[in-house]
């Protein structure tokens, strides 16, 4: 009897503990009573702070006093707003805001003049502040999985940008400002609403990876064939019927690729006119030979 009574008491106390008040999810890092600066990790290259997956719906106030932080990860929370105080963290080199619920970015992001890497993927952005173009050192920018349909013209100032991911947005055409970004070696515009690729694509003379899969593109411009640095060209899942005769100039495309991670030419799931489907089945060398001969006979 006494044993049964103690078991019941134990169960009741466990239930009571489960129903206890919860602290904000990020406060578990501060329970020791230490100064917020003690949360910073000092690596060989950067002073970093990670508050990933803390269930935050707003940013903690202590964050804006950590002026020495250079690498900040706030990804995979439930943040709705990033306050203008972000501009106080002017030593930031890497900023990850991916996987939140952000509808906009503060214009003060332009104060982050040391910023080189910015992830704002998987949010609810409909536009990007023009002030982002003040981050002239920016090299990597991911805006994928948002609701963006255009970019500010001031993006032409991002001359150091090398990698740009705009996939899974609402672009109907490639923004003109992109064609001025001569340092780009990676451009991802997959899963948008593109119907064509402008001839101006040829100005991206350092482009190595170009992905425009899952759009509504009907043909490839001849000028694309002059970007001889291309190592991966993915036009899977479009409406392409013919290929430009000069495609064989892209000599760094080593094969017809089927795995999304492989370099080469991805041309699957397009309504190619005959005899192109059979030629593609023969591999890239057969395709290039066919296009070269076709051009010589025209």
């Amino acid at each position: 009897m006494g044993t049964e009574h103690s078991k019941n008491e134990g169960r009741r106390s466990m239930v009571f503990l489960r129903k206890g008040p919860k602290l904000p999810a990020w406060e578990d890092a501060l329970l020791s009573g230490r100064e917020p600066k003690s949360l910073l990790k000092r690596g060989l290259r950067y002073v970093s702070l990670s508050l990933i997956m803390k269930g935050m719906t707003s940013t903690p106030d202590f964050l804006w006093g950590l002026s020495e932080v250079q690498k900040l990860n706030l990804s995979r929370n439930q943040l709705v707003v990033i306050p203008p105080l972000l501009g106080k963290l002017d030593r930031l080199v890497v900023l990850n805001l991916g996987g939140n619920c952000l509808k906009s970015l503060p214009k003060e992001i332009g104060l982050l003049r040391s910023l080189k890497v910015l992830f704002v993927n998987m949010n609810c952005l409909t536009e990007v502040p023009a002030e982002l173009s003040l981050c002239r050192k920016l090299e990597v920018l991911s805006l994928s999985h948002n609701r963006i349909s255009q970019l500010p013209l001031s993006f032409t100032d991002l001359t150091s940008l090398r990698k740009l991911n705009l996939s899974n947005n609402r672009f109907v055409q490639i923004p003109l400002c992109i064609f001025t970004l001569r340092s780009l070696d990676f451009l991802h515009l997959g899963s948008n609403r593109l119907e064509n690729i402008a001839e101006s694509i040829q100005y991206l003379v350092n482009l190595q990876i170009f992905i425009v899969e899952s759009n509504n593109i009907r043909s490839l411009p001849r000028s694309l064939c002059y970007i001889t640095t291309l190592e991966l060209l993915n036009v899977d899942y479009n409406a392409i019927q013919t290929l430009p005769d000069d495609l064989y100039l892209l000599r760094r495309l080593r094969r017809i690729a089927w795995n999304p991670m492989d370099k080469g030419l991805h041309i699957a799931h397009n309504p190619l006119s005959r005899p192109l489907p059979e030629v593609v089945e023969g591999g890239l060398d057969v395709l290039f030979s066919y296009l070269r001969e076709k051009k010589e006979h025209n």
Side-chain angles (χ1 to χ4, degrees):
M1 185 77 177
T3 304
E4 188 65 29
H5 177 75
S6 61
K7 284 183 179 178
N8 290 335
E9 285 295 321
R11 290 193 193 100
R12 278 196 290 271
S13 63
M14 286 175 66
V15 170
F16 174 79
L17 286 172
R18 286 194 199 105
K19 291 183 179 180
K22 289 185 177 181
L23 291 169
W26 55 264
E27 284 191 5
D28 60 353
L30 296 175
L31 285 176
S32 63
R34 294 179 298 170
E35 284 292 316
K37 288 186 179 182
S38 66
L39 300 174
L40 297 175
K41 293 184 178 180
R42 301 179 184 276
L44 293 176
R45 295 187 63 189
Y46 300 125
V47 176
S48 63
L49 173 63
S50 177
L51 293 175
I52 182 175
M53 293 181 69
K54 297 297 183 183
M56 298 185 298
T57 55
S58 61
T59 50
D61 291 339
F62 72 80
L63 181 59
W64 315 119
L66 304 177
S67 58
E68 62 265 61
V69 68
Q70 296 168 288
K71 187 175 181 181
L72 176 61
N73 192 341
L74 299 176
S75 66
R76 301 176 71 182
N77 282 287
Q78 299 164 36
L79 300 175
V80 178
V81 173
I82 298 295
L85 289 169
L86 174 67
K88 295 181 68 175
L89 304 183
D90 57 4
R91 296 185 189 178
L92 278 180
V93 177
V94 180
L95 175 58
N96 191 342
L97 300 172
N100 281 287
C101 307
L102 302 176
K103 293 183 178 180
S104 63
L105 294 174
K107 63 182 182 180
E108 286 78 10
I109 198 167
L111 298 175
L112 308 182
R113 303 297 170 86
S114 298
L115 197 63
K116 290 185 177 181
V117 178
L118 175 61
F119 288 94
V120 205
N121 52 300
M122 300 181 70
N123 276 280
C124 305
L125 300 182
T126 56
E127 60 182 9
V128 184
E131 288 80 7
L132 182 58
S133 61
L134 297 173
C135 302
R136 304 289 171 81
K137 294 183 179 180
L138 197 63
E139 297 179 6
V140 179
L141 174 59
S142 178
L143 295 168
S144 70
H145 293 83
N146 278 283
R147 303 168 186 174
I148 305 167
S149 58
Q150 58 186 2
L151 295 178
L153 288 175
S154 59
F155 259 47
T156 56
D157 293 332
L158 294 176
T159 54
S160 297
L161 198 62
R162 294 187 299 107
K163 302 185 187 304
L164 177 59
N165 191 338
L166 297 173
S167 63
N168 290 272
N169 275 286
R170 299 179 179 178
F171 292 97
V172 176
Q173 60 183 13
I174 300 177
L176 292 176
C177 59
I178 288 181
F179 300 129
T180 67
L181 305 178
R182 306 295 170 84
S183 296
L184 276 186
D185 58 41
F186 175 99
L187 177 58
H188 195 341
L189 277 154
S191 298
N192 276 281
R193 302 172 182 179
L194 303 178
E195 295 186 357
N196 60 67
I197 299 172
E199 293 284 347
S200 301
I201 192 71
Q202 65 183 310
Y203 298 124
L204 301 182
V205 294
N206 292 300
L207 201 59
Q208 297 176 25
I209 296 177
F210 185 36
I211 304 172
V212 284
E213 64 176 348
S214 301
N215 279 284
N216 302 309
I217 298 167
R218 295 183 175 86
S219 63
L220 300 179
R222 183 180 180 184
S223 63
L224 181 65
C225 305
Y226 304 144
I227 310 177
T228 55
T229 51
L230 275 177
E231 298 178 2
L232 189 157
L233 173 59
N234 190 336
V235 294
D236 284 349
Y237 294 97
N238 275 283
I240 299 169
Q241 296 185 20
T242 61
L243 296 174
D245 293 345
D246 289 333
L247 197 67
Y248 68 87
L249 296 174
L250 301 179
R251 303 183 191 281
R252 293 196 183 182
L253 297 180
R254 300 297 186 187
R255 65 181 121 179
I256 300 291
W258 304 100
N259 187 317
M261 301 302 293
D262 287 345
K263 290 184 177 181
L265 174 62
H266 298 252
I267 191 73
H269 304 285
N270 280 282
L272 296 173
S273 59
R274 291 185 178 277
L276 283 175
E278 292 82 3
V279 174
V280 169
E281 286 291 330
L284 194 63
D285 289 340
V286 174
L287 173 62
F288 281 0
S289 294
Y290 168 79
L291 293 173
R292 191 183 296 109
E293 290 174 11
K294 182 168 175 272
K295 181 182 178 181
E296 289 173 356
H297 284 88
N298 284 343

